[in-house]
Amino acid sequence: MKIMVSGTVQGVGFRPTVYRVAKKLGLRGFVLNKGSNVEIGLVNGAGNGDSVADFMDMLNEKLPPLAAIDKIEVKDEPVTGYDDFRILMSSEGRKTSVTPVDTAICDACIHELFDPADHRYLYPFINCTSCGARFSVIKNVPYDRVNTSMQEFQMCENCLTEYKDPMDRRFHAQTTSCPRCGPTYTLYDKNRSVIDARDPIRTFARLIDEGALGIAKSWGGMHLLGTFEQADRVRALYRRPSKPLAVMFRDVPAIEQHLNLTEHEERLLRSPQRPIVLLEKKSMLDSGDLAEISPGLSTVGVYVPYSGLHHVLFHHLKAHGILMTSANVPGEPMTVSNEEAFNLTADYFLLHNRAIVNRLDDSVVKCYGARNQFLRRSRGFVPTALTVPYTEQILSLGAMENVSSSISKDGKLYTSQYIGSTFHYPTLEFLAAGTEQLLNLLGLAMEDIDAIGVDVHPGYATKRYGKSLAEEYSIELVPVQHHWAHAAALMLDNGVEEVMALTLDGTGYGLDKKAWGGELLFANYYSFERVGSLEEIPLIGGEMAIRDPRRLLFAVYSLLSREHDASRWVSDPEADIMAKLMRTAPLTSSFGRVLDALACYLGICQRMTYDGEPAMKLERYLARGEHTYAFETSVDAADRKIVRTLPLFDQLADYRISTEQEKADIAYSFVETLLQELLEIAADVCESTGVQTIGITGGVSYDLPIVSMAERLVKEKGFTFLTHDRIPNGDGGISVGQNVIVGGTFKG
Ligand SMILES: [Zn+2]
Ligand SMILES: [Zn+2]
């Protein structure tokens, strides 16, 4: 009989496990990779029924840690001609699922890495069947060496022996290599002169300890490295005046010296996916070495070594933690090629000679209790699939910022790696390349796509790209409203089919052509109703009001006829210009903009220098505030309920605020009042329709004190509260939401 197994079954040590189990049970037959599945053939014989059941039981029991079986199909086809059990060469087959993810170096490999007697001692490309770079090096499926960038490196006799031995840890480890036959690192200075080709990592580590800035090539891209003291230099050179930088620590105990972490956060940090996790600083006043890493924020993004290079680097480094942040030309995706690396500003370049096939940024997660809030879902998680309730092949392209693309096939939804913000042409090119590669790995061509989902915003580059594909291949283009897509992503994440979604973010294009962002959507996959929103306020100068939140305050206080309070924020000439611009300013119901204005008013953030900065800086105030100020507002009824925000700003201006705690309490009281009103509306609609679940989504839901307030208020009203766990809350999740909504159009 033949057994077809689909899921994460290639490149994770699945076939060797099948082999060992079959051998143990004395079964005859074969195992082979077929497309992206694994086929097992068992010779029929006496007592076969029992042994097949035993076989499946034992296989499940011995399943390698990274393998995941999604589906098993058993066919009663006779298998003959085998007097033993064998692992056969891959055959081309139907491609149904994709490659395994990039996985942190396993403990067994780390043990060898630091064993002076091992021939892979301090070898930075060490890996085995259970670990290493995979998605970042794969060109095509099936996952075999010839289809990866390791193809150029011919295995030496030793490696080949391990590769062929079913009992070896490196049996069929497609990217296996050793110092004799594998890729190598070389250290260059900024003039591209080779500094050290013999012990480049040791020399690089010494230079970093001494204060140099370095570029190091890893699995899926380049990182910029330096000691904490180099933060100012990085900020100046890379035009990141206050954007938080990521830090890699030697190990978890080194992290615990500086930051608080929960058990869940520790597990995540040590997991094979090994994302960057945002952790809370022990003390805001005395964050010591870390003060300049994330100015004004209560958290720092940290991770621990995942590649052989990182482990070897820390072996040589004196520092227990270093800046290690994506290296890119400002506005462009992370640098991947050696040639382009030299366009980056740094003192030294530690580069290897293996091509990066698929750019893969580090994933970034913030934990709400034991739930993962993905700011960026990439290395370690891509391309794992989610199950969706439709079988059409749908491509969806996201919105404008933090874009990803998603493709559905056979009831599974695959999302690309993190792409970035498509204001910039190179990022749009990356979106096209990433989408094409995902199609390829799924065995699909554009001709196979049934529909393309895009945002309704007419100006988004992703929409133009989707439209051009739709025209070229005569595919239906389905525009999906931004916040509905957020709500759909939240539903899929939680396995529910309808939700009252508190959809709070910066901006998304509304069906009335206005900028939405503080919305209560009663949604399922087929339709949605906007039952409530925040009052609209003018965005003076459009996008300019996002970077310069003083404009929001000027608008708010002008509308309240509090000229004195309005003019506090701007010079007289500015006030004249803004007053004129205000008449034609676009309107927004965005919750994010209200937070921006509040943060600006409280002196917490006067200018936005990176996406979400004011709201992020407000977060630590909300975290220690209490509802001690009595704010009151009202709700207007129109086609929807509108929660008024101006009365809150009116009351705000009457308070005298001097201490940091007063700022915290004011911020908390202000925000909770808004949430109370929105959730009051939500509860009314839920009660009249019988819906039990109220959830939160959108970029504002990365602000954990806000999520926590919402959860408490929702539960007090007796409803179930939903938040994200697997799909990004922000625009990284939009392509997922678009996909399921477009999928819904094929039903009925
Ligand atoms: Zn390993
Ligand atoms: Zn070798």
Side-chain angles (χ1 to χ4, degrees), residues 211-247:
L213 266 191
I215 296 288
K217 185 176 180 183
S218 185
W219 289 348
M222 309 270 175
H223 288 101
L224 180 63
L225 283 75
T227 55
F228 297 157
E229 291 74 32
Q230 301 306 311
D232 286 345
R233 204 174 150 213
V234 169
R235 295 192 179 289
L237 289 174
Y238 285 83
R239 286 188 263 140
R240 298 177 189 173
S242 55
K243 195 175 179 180
L245 305 168
V247 171

Side-chain angles (χ1 to χ4, degrees), residues 106 109 127-128 131 169:
C106 73
C109 284
N127 75 325
C128 70
C131 71
R169 287 204 309 118

Side-chain angles (χ1 to χ4, degrees), residues 612-623:
E613 181 177 0
M616 282 166 73
K617 289 189 166 166
L618 190 64
E619 186 175 358
R620 74 183 167 95
Y621 287 87
L622 292 173

